[in-house]
């Protein structure tokens, strides 16, 4: 089976998994925003940040190293499995000890207990990490898809049941733990059947992976703080209720990107790693990723901007309407975010996590200042600050993270999303005039606008972006 065929099969299964998971998570959000307080979502945003930060140390870059190194032995895998579990317990122990200090920092007394509870995810997850990456490396996305769909459904049911019964933020915490437990159990069951399990601990079997992982951990740790500095500071200076509004709007606007980007990058990373000796092939594949992602997301975000009020009313309810303008600004920011996100795939594929680490270190110097100054202008200021800094960093990011890794010129990089910009502009202008004639019926306006936007986008892609259009058609033909 050639790379194109494997990529198409991988995209189909990954698409099914990501889309169904996203629909479940979106349905969960739609229901829970009507059952929980804004402050509950603010607390959960803080918890998610610290758990995501700690997960970096549990994995320690080992997953990326297993995919990158093509000559890995069974003894190495056995030693690395043991290391993942050890790091899971050690990381939880550290989180348990510092939970009180984090609680004091945010002046939220209950945060300590919440962190110690949700931190169990770190231990549970470590038992399935390696099998997840082995399935990815062998492109067995059908197994991964089934596991992720089942675990997401278990999380959805538990969250809704507990939310209805008035558990508040605990509904979000317990549902996250349940999802992790179901996923880890199924990964172990199918993983041991497919690859076996040999527990060995010898330094020589893990040395090169730990060295590889040091850069990844350092980079992920720093980039995690840099990318979530808005959550950290909004929660500290504005309180959990304001953070709840901001984080829910940000989560909703990033949902399309969180659906599309993993579909493309999850499949592309193993394939790009196989081609890491051929820089030209890696560059062409990366440019194709940028084109595909922007072709889908740019028009979708333009539709989101135009129908922001309708989307918030339908998905979140009237009490969230004060966030319409913030939502629209974040939609523009999300466009830039969507084409910068896949650079992580390129960095890992060429084995240069050090470059990304240096870029993230630089981010620690300017991002806190940007967010701190923006916070004086409220949530709107935070959103504008995020957008402005993303625009200013477009060219520096290209030079340090794209040009230096695969040699793509600024013209090539910009051209990857140029047709999407043209198409999005035409879609946006057309929809602006169309909505003037639509009836003032909430669901009907959004439905007609969405269908019209998608159909017009497909038509324009057929004319202006034939490579993407033909690739979409091939998914349905094969």
């Amino acid at each position: 089976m050639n790379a194109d065929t494997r990529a198409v099969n991988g995209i189909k299964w990954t698409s099914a998994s990501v889309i169904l998971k996203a629909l479940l998570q979106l349905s969960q959000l739609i229901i829970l925003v009507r059952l929980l307080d804004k402050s509950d979502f603010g607390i959960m945003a803080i918890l998610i940040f610290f758990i995501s930060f700690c997960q970096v140390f549990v994995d320690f870059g080992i997953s990326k190293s297993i995919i990158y190194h093509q000559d890995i032995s069974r003894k190495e895998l056995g030693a690395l499995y043991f290391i993942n579990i050890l790091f899971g317990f050690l990381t939880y122990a550290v989180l348990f000890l510092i939970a009180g200090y984090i609680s004091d920092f945010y002046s939220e007394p209950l945060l300590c207990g919440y962190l110690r509870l949700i931190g169990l995810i770190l231990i549970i997850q470590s038992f399935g990490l390696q099998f997840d990456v082995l399935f990815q490396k062998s492109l067995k996305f059908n197994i991964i898809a089934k596991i992720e769909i089942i675990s997401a459904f278990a999380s959805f049911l538990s969250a809704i049941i507990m939310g209805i019964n008035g558990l508040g933020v605990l509904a979000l915490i317990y549902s996250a733990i349940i999802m992790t437990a179901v996923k880890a159990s199924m990964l172990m069951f199918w993983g041991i059947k497919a690859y076996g399990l040999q527990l060995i601990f010898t330094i020589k079997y893990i040395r090169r992976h730990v060295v590889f992982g040091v850069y990844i951990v350092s980079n992920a740790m720093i980039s995690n703080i840099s990318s979530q500095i808005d959550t950290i500071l909004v929660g500290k200076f504005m309180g959990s209720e304001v953070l709840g509004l901001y984080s829910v709007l940000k989560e909703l606007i990033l949902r399309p990107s969180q659906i599309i980007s993993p579909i493309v990058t999850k499949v592309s990373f193993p394939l790009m790693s196989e081609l890491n000796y051929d820089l030209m092939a890696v560059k062409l594949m990366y440019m194709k990723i940028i084109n595909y992602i922007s072709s889908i997301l740019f028009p979708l975000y333009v539709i989101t901007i135009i129908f922001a009020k309708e989307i918030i009313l339908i998905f979140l309810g009237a009490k969230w309407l004060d966030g319409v303008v913030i939502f629209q600004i974040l939609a523009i920011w999300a466009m830039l975010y969507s084409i910068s996100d896949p650079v992580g795939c390129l960095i890992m594929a060429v084995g240069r996590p050090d470059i990304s680490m240096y870029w993230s270190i630089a981010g620690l110097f300017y991002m806190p200042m940007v967010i701190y100054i923006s916070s004086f202008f409220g949530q709107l200021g935070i959103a504008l600050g995020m957008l402005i800094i993303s625009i200013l960093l477009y060219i520096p990011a290209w030079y340090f993270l794209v040009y230096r890794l695969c040699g793509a010129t600024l013209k090539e990089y910009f051209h990857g999303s140029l047709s999407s910009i043209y198409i999005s502009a035409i879609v946006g202008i057309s929809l602006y005039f169309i909505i003037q004639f639509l009836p003032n019926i909430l669901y009907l306006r959004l439905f007609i606008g969405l269908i019209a936007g998608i159909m017009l986008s497909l038509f324009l892609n057929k004319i202006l972006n034939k490579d993407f259009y033909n690739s979409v058609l091939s998914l349905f033909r094969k």
Side-chain angles (χ1 to χ4, degrees):
M1 189 181 292
N2 60 35
D4 287 341
T5 304
R6 289 189 296 161
V8 168
N9 288 334
I11 287 173
K12 285 182 178 180
W13 278 106
T14 305
S15 300
S17 169
V18 171
I19 292 171
L20 284 172
K21 280 172 56 186
L23 288 174
L24 286 171
Q25 290 167 354
L26 184 58
S27 300
Q28 177 178 310
L29 180 64
I30 292 170
I31 296 170
L32 291 182
V33 290
R34 290 162 171 82
L35 298 173
L36 307 183
D37 295 328
K38 289 180 182 177
S39 59
D40 291 329
F41 291 98
I43 293 293
M44 193 62 185
I46 296 170
L47 295 175
I48 289 173
F49 164 72
F50 284 103
I51 291 301
S52 298
F53 183 79
C54 291
Q55 284 173 332
V56 171
F57 297 96
V58 178
D59 180 74
F60 206 80
I62 291 171
S63 295
K64 297 291 191 299
S65 182
I66 290 173
I67 292 179
Y68 177 75
H69 292 101
Q70 301 297 312
D71 58 342
I72 192 166
S73 68
R74 290 179 63 84
K75 290 183 178 180
E76 283 179 280
L77 289 174
L80 292 174
Y81 186 82
F82 177 84
I83 287 295
N84 272 147
I85 295 174
L86 177 63
F87 285 175
F89 278 94
L90 290 176
T91 306
Y92 176 72
V94 173
L95 179 64
F96 189 93
L97 292 173
I98 66 172
Y101 298 104
I102 297 172
S103 179
D104 292 340
F105 177 79
Y106 285 102
S107 301
E108 293 280 357
L110 296 176
L111 196 60
C112 177
Y114 292 154
L115 277 167
R116 289 172 175 173
L117 178 59
I118 200 171
L120 293 171
I121 285 175
L122 303 172
I123 297 174
I124 298 168
Q125 183 188 43
S126 66
F127 287 89
L129 272 175
Q130 186 177 110
F131 298 119
D132 192 5
V133 74
L134 288 175
F135 285 133
Q136 286 185 50
K137 185 172 185 176
S138 56
L139 301 180
K140 294 181 179 179
F141 292 103
N142 58 329
I143 296 176
I144 296 174
K146 294 171 185 175
I147 291 173
E148 291 187 341
I149 291 169
I150 293 171
S151 58
F153 188 71
S155 174
F156 169 77
L157 282 180
S158 58
I160 302 305
I161 292 170
M162 288 184 281
I164 291 172
N165 283 278
L167 268 70
V169 70
L170 287 173
L172 300 171
I173 294 172
Y174 283 125
S175 65
I177 295 173
I178 289 170
M179 181 172 68
T180 305
V182 172
K183 182 177 179 179
S185 300
M186 296 180 73
L187 281 170
M188 286 187 66
F189 176 76
W190 272 323
I192 292 173
K193 285 182 66 175
Y195 304 104
L197 180 60
Q198 186 177 8
L199 290 176
I200 297 174
F201 182 71
T202 307
I203 295 296
K204 69 176 182 178
Y205 292 137
I206 66 170
R207 184 179 294 113
R208 64 170 175 167
H209 301 283
V210 170
V211 171
F212 186 91
V214 165
Y215 285 111
I216 296 176
V217 168
S218 302
N219 170 51
M221 179 180 64
I222 296 166
S223 64
N224 209 296
I225 297 173
S226 180
S227 64
Q228 295 296 321
I229 195 71
D230 53 341
T231 297
I232 299 170
L233 292 180
V234 172
K236 171 63 177 176
F237 297 116
M238 298 182 176
S240 58
E241 184 169 341
V242 174
L243 176 59
L245 173 63
Y246 177 77
S247 62
V248 167
L249 292 175
K250 186 179 175 184
E251 179 185 351
L252 186 60
I253 204 64
L254 285 177
R255 185 62 63 192
S257 181
Q258 291 167 347
I259 293 173
I260 301 303
S261 293
I263 291 173
V264 179
T265 58
K266 201 172 187 179
V267 176
S268 300
F269 176 40
L271 294 175
M272 288 175 73
S273 295
E274 292 177 4
L275 299 171
N276 56 27
Y277 59 87
D278 187 347
L279 203 59
M280 179 59 70
V282 170
K283 182 180 81 171
L284 291 175
M285 182 172 286
Y286 180 70
M287 289 297 100
K288 186 172 286 190
I289 291 172
I290 295 296
N291 176 254
Y292 287 9
I293 288 177
S294 62
S295 297
I296 298 170
L297 291 177
F298 279 21
L300 197 55
Y301 279 127
V302 167
I303 296 171
T304 299
I305 292 169
I306 294 172
F307 293 96
K309 183 178 179 180
E310 288 83 358
I311 290 171
I312 288 180
L313 279 171
I314 291 172
F315 290 100
L316 302 180
K319 70 178 182 179
W320 299 82
L321 275 177
D322 53 339
V324 169
V325 177
I326 298 171
F327 191 66
Q328 291 171 321
I329 294 171
L330 288 175
I332 303 172
W333 165 77
M335 291 185 192
L336 295 168
Y337 173 84
S338 68
I339 57 173
S340 65
D341 188 45
V343 76
C345 181
L346 173 64
I347 289 166
M348 294 302 107
V350 299
R352 291 299 306 275
D354 55 317
I355 291 181
S356 180
M357 183 183 70
Y358 300 140
W359 175 260
S360 298
I361 289 173
L364 286 181
F365 289 96
Y366 60 79
M367 280 306 296
M369 183 174 12
V370 169
I371 299 300
Y372 180 72
I373 294 172
S374 300
S375 67
F376 286 103
F377 303 94
Q379 296 168 90
L380 184 61
I382 297 289
L384 280 170
M386 296 282 285
L387 174 59
I388 291 168
I389 196 65
S390 296
I391 294 171
L392 293 176
L393 289 175
Y394 181 84
I395 292 178
W398 154 76
Y399 179 76
F400 288 104
L401 300 178
V402 179
Y403 176 73
R404 293 183 63 185
L405 290 176
C406 69
T409 64
L410 180 60
K411 182 179 179 181
E412 289 174 320
Y413 182 60
F414 181 69
H415 189 267
S417 54
L418 183 60
S419 59
S420 303
I421 295 173
Y422 289 145
I423 291 169
S424 301
I426 296 172
V427 169
I429 293 169
S430 302
L431 286 179
Y432 178 78
F433 287 105
I434 289 173
I435 62 173
Q436 309 304 321
F437 304 98
L438 293 179
N440 194 26
I441 302 174
L442 195 63
Y443 288 90
L444 184 61
R445 284 172 63 86
L446 183 58
F447 177 76
I448 293 175
L450 189 60
I451 296 299
I454 291 173
M455 295 303 294
L456 181 57
S457 177
L458 284 173
F459 173 74
L460 292 171
N461 271 294
K462 185 178 181 180
I463 299 172
L464 301 175
N465 193 7
K466 293 183 178 179
D467 179 55
F468 168 72
Y469 181 81
N470 291 330
S471 296
V472 172
L473 290 181
S474 70
L475 287 175
F476 297 97
R477 289 172 180 169
K478 293 187 179 183

